[in-house]
Amino acid sequence: MGMLKTVAQAWKIAEIRSKMIFTLLMLVVFRIGSNIPVPNINRSALAEMFSGEAGLFDLFDLFSGGSFSNFTIFALSITPYITASIIIQLLTAFPYFERLAKEGVEGRKKMAQITRYLTVVLALVQAIGLTVGLFRRAVINQSAFSIIVIILVLTAGTAFLMWLGEQINDKGIGNGISLLIFAGIVARIPSGLRSLFVGVKDGSISIVSLILLAVAAVGVIVVVVLIQEGQRRIPVQYAKRVVGRKMYGGQSTHIPIKVNQAGVIPIIFALSLLQFPLTITYFMSSDNGFAMWVTKWLSPSGNPGVWIYGILNVILIIFFTYFYTTISFNPNEVAENMKANGGFIPGIRPGKATEEYLQKVMSRITIVGAIFLALIATLPTILSVMVPSLQGIHFGGTSLLIAVGVALDTVRQLENQMLMRNYQGFLK
């Protein structure tokens, strides 16, 4: 109710209302483009290719809102941009990119430009791989010109989505890229509900299973909100300093360490790694030894692969949660900044002792966030095993995590803009 109240109050403010309308129009453009098919593709052959391949391309279809399986102009979605952003973030460990990250606005502009170029390159590579490899049998005209046109359409689709996301950032509300993914996830809700009701109607899904799914969905949403908003606040005290005739410092503040510092990125990394061998097998014949081994032992559907897939997924998510948290939160840098500004944690000596304390707190909190992400990611597998009738229903814990996270972040930005506007009126 608080979220709806915030949106209603924001709608009454003309400036914020115009931003909200602009954002909604951009999302409408995204959904229109998601239904424009790529030319020269045999739709019946495409549907046959994806029949029985549930779980194999879930990551791509999740971010594209179904555009990948329908092979529309936005089939690649914004995935290349996400991959490029992650690569650039990882490269900040190198001196050149570390220097750019510390140069302020100009440095961020350069990094954004590099990210754009890398996005187009990755989109082009993925478009070539999909058109020449995965979807080759669905291409009606196999001429070089026809294939080049498909590749360029897919690459241009991703470039357009990247531009669309930046327009939302500049003139709308919320994070543009996140909202595009959010719109894709929400767009799949009606078809999911329809599948549920059809299953209940024809008897393939029992009422008990439906109630269990609804309870699980509500429970996951509640837990996601609690974990996403959860943080450990470490108190920091700044010593008093006398400069000239004025006294500075002496105030108390805190360092917020989020329980889920890494967000959904560890799940994306883990899914990408696990689905890579499965994607390779799709280019091989069914009697290939490697393809048969991967299908048996690493497939997310069927025994015993589903259990091995689930265990590896949990291990990789925990590993990547620690890996990404270590990159995004540097205890040494925080401790040095506190020491330079006369800050200290009560009861902890500045310098090395503060760094060790922050590292210890971060490690304890990160394990909670890692276990949470692992449970969210493996929840669909657990449900499908416990309730076999739900195997055909795509209940994605990752989808809920992204959707709830983006919704909370967008409402928070609305609140910040309303707060800034109120402060401006007070100062006037």
Side-chain angles (χ1 to χ4, degrees), residues 15 34 68 138 141 181 205 207 218 246 268 341 374 378 420:
E15 182 184 350
S34 298
F68 180 80
N141 184 356
I181 299 173
I205 299 177
I207 297 296
V218 173
K246 293 184 178 180
I268 297 172
N341 290 285
T378 54
M420 288 171 61

Side-chain angles (χ1 to χ4, degrees), residues 115-325:
T115 304
R116 292 190 195 102
Y117 290 138
L118 184 58
T119 299
V120 174
V121 171
L122 291 176
L124 183 62
V125 171
Q126 288 187 23
I128 293 171
L130 287 176
T131 308
V132 178
L134 183 62
F135 293 106
R136 185 65 179 263
R137 71 184 84 168
V139 177
I140 298 172
N141 184 356
Q142 298 284 335
S143 65
F145 176 77
S146 175
I147 291 175
I148 289 173
V149 167
I150 295 173
I151 291 171
L152 291 178
V153 166
L154 292 175
T155 306
T158 293
F160 179 76
L161 285 182
M162 179 173 61
W163 176 83
L164 209 63
E166 291 180 351
Q167 292 302 304
I168 293 175
N169 289 341
D170 294 339
K171 303 174 184 178
I173 294 288
N175 183 292
I177 304 302
S178 300
L179 283 172
L180 292 178
I181 299 173
F182 174 82
I185 293 171
V186 172
R188 300 175 72 183
I189 293 177
S191 61
L193 292 175
R194 186 169 60 250
S195 300
L196 281 174
F197 288 125
V198 169
V200 172
K201 190 175 180 180
D202 61 23
S204 60
I205 299 177
S206 66
I207 297 296
V208 176
S209 300
L210 187 63
I211 294 173
L212 178 63
L213 181 65
V215 170
V218 173
V220 168
I221 291 173
V222 171
V223 173
V224 165
V225 171
L226 291 175
I227 296 294
Q228 288 290 94
E229 296 296 294
Q231 58 181 229
R232 167 73 184 275
R233 296 184 175 184
I234 299 176
V236 178
Q237 182 73 36
Y238 283 91
K240 293 180 180 179
R241 294 179 298 151
V242 178
V243 180
R245 294 184 177 182
K246 293 184 178 180
M247 182 176 291
Y248 295 91
Q251 75 270 25
S252 298
T253 182
H254 65 270
I255 301 173
I257 301 181
K258 295 184 68 176
V259 175
N260 184 20
Q261 186 86 12
V264 77
I265 289 176
I267 297 178
I268 297 172
F269 275 20
L271 280 174
S272 301
L273 278 181
L274 286 175
Q275 292 192 353
F276 180 70
L278 288 167
T279 305
I280 293 176
T281 62
Y282 201 80
F283 298 94
M284 302 176 178
S285 59
S286 57
D287 57 349
N288 182 278
F290 175 76
M292 293 173 66
W293 185 86
V294 170
T295 303
K296 179 181 179 181
W297 296 103
L298 292 177
S299 175
S301 55
N303 288 314
V306 63
W307 297 107
I308 297 174
Y309 182 93
I311 292 169
L312 288 176
N313 195 26
V314 169
I315 293 171
L316 286 173
I317 287 172
I318 292 174
F319 169 77
F320 282 124
T321 302
Y322 271 96
F323 176 75
Y324 190 81
T325 303

